Amino acid sequence: MTTTPHAPDSVSRRDSIPAEIARSWLLVSATRTETFDSAFASRADQIVLDIEDAVDPKLKPKAREDVVEWLSGGGDGWVRINDRTTDFWSGDVDALSGVSGLRGVMLAKTESPADVTETFDRLGGHTPVLALIESALGIEEAVSIARARGTFRLAFGSGDYRRDTGTSADNLAMAYPRSRLVVASRIGDLPGPIDGPTVGSSHPILREQSQMTVALGLTGKLCLDPEQTPVINEVISPTQSDVSWARDFLDDFEARGRVIRDGSDLPRLGRAQKIDKLARAFGVLPS
């Protein structure tokens, strides 16, 4: 496999948006090595090379080798590895340990704190583990998983969760697991969780589902196609009107000597500071 240079603007843009607040997480099948560089150059905040569900079991060893080669040759990204109960997990973590260009791993089908900590330790105790929760048990254990040593952020494997529980894709039916991940992330002092992907090419549907992501308190979203990333990034970013309000409030707060006037000032201050921080990170200008 030949590694090609990466576009400098893509490097600087991705480096400017930390994974803690990354909005769009682009899943890329590890069997499609020809797409690695274009995925990296896309508008995705983070890319995730997938050696789990996207790869036939017979092809996993070769896919793993190709991912390690690309990362070692100047590539940069996350890797979705196989879950701890499989025969592939040990080989995944051993092959990725110490690889340059590895930002972290997304651990498939996380169902316990031990899944995270054993992965974290086997990777040397410094590689972030993004816990992908995809089952009823995982949802019920979300708080303990969020508190586990090594957990960086939670993500929702919505498709496998629906298969496990028989839940429909209806927004009302899916509100409970999403909210569980939001609450667990807050209890575990983690960044906001990452929502599952929207299947299909309809941008209006993607926009509607991304708006639901934001409404429920999730702060990122998995995606399956680079063309989905601009919509996700736009919807999950603060709006221009929100940024205008936040900066007006902060300017007024400074002008009055940072004096708290009533009980609503502190909550509004916190919200304004958060909006301003995200707006600056994402390059959103006030209206």
Side-chain angles (χ1 to χ4, degrees), residues 5-126:
H6 307 302
D9 61 336
S10 296
V11 175
S12 60
R13 177 178 52 77
R14 187 166 289 116
D15 283 347
S16 69
I17 301 177
E20 290 87 348
I21 59 172
R23 303 155 295 181
S24 51
W25 293 73
L26 176 62
L27 288 164
V28 183
S29 173
T31 60
R32 300 186 61 197
T33 56
E34 74 281 2
T35 67
F36 289 2
D37 287 336
S38 60
F40 183 88
S42 73
R43 293 181 180 272
D45 286 346
Q46 302 290 330
I47 64 168
V48 184
L49 306 180
D50 188 359
I51 58 177
E52 195 237 356
D53 273 356
V55 180
D56 184 274
K58 298 187 296 294
L59 303 177
K60 286 182 187 286
K62 177 62 165 60
R64 181 196 295 148
E65 291 175 7
D66 288 343
V67 165
V68 170
E69 180 183 344
W70 186 78
L71 291 172
S72 301
D76 179 282
W78 294 68
V79 178
R80 176 158 79 165
I81 63 174
N82 292 276
D83 71 85
R84 194 170 65 98
T85 66
T86 68
D87 294 334
F88 300 107
W89 173 84
S90 183
D92 290 348
V93 292
D94 287 346
L96 290 167
S97 183
V99 170
S100 61
L102 178 68
R103 292 206 165 197
V105 298
M106 176 183 289
L107 178 61
K109 299 175 177 63
T110 305
E111 293 188 327
S112 74
D115 291 346
V116 175
T117 54
E118 290 191 22
T119 301
F120 183 67
D121 290 343
R122 282 282 293 272
L123 287 167
H126 53 78

Side-chain angles (χ1 to χ4, degrees), residues 132-250:
L132 183 62
I133 296 179
E134 309 182 70
S135 66
L137 178 57
I139 289 295
E140 287 305 294
E141 294 293 328
V143 171
S144 59
I145 292 169
R147 287 173 161 169
R149 178 168 50 83
T151 302
F152 171 74
R153 204 168 166 184
L154 303 181
F156 186 30
S158 51
D160 278 333
Y161 173 82
R162 291 197 301 270
R163 181 174 61 184
D164 184 44
T165 61
T167 307
S168 78
D170 180 79
N171 284 334
L172 179 61
M174 297 297 282
Y176 172 74
R178 286 167 167 160
S179 295
R180 285 277 297 182
L181 296 184
V182 170
V183 171
S185 297
R186 182 68 190 93
I187 293 171
D189 197 26
L190 301 179
I194 300 162
D195 202 359
T198 294
V199 179
S201 58
S202 170
H203 280 193
I205 292 175
L206 174 62
R207 181 175 295 276
E208 178 184 344
Q209 293 195 0
S210 299
Q211 289 168 341
M212 180 60 62
T213 294
V214 174
L216 289 173
L218 296 93
T219 58
K221 188 170 173 63
L222 300 175
C223 52
L224 307 174
D225 190 310
E227 292 186 359
Q228 293 182 321
T229 60
V231 175
I232 293 171
N233 289 346
E234 177 190 344
V235 174
I236 297 182
S237 298
T239 65
Q240 290 180 314
S241 59
D242 281 343
V243 176
S244 294
W245 169 83
R247 293 186 179 166
D248 287 347
F249 179 87
L250 293 173

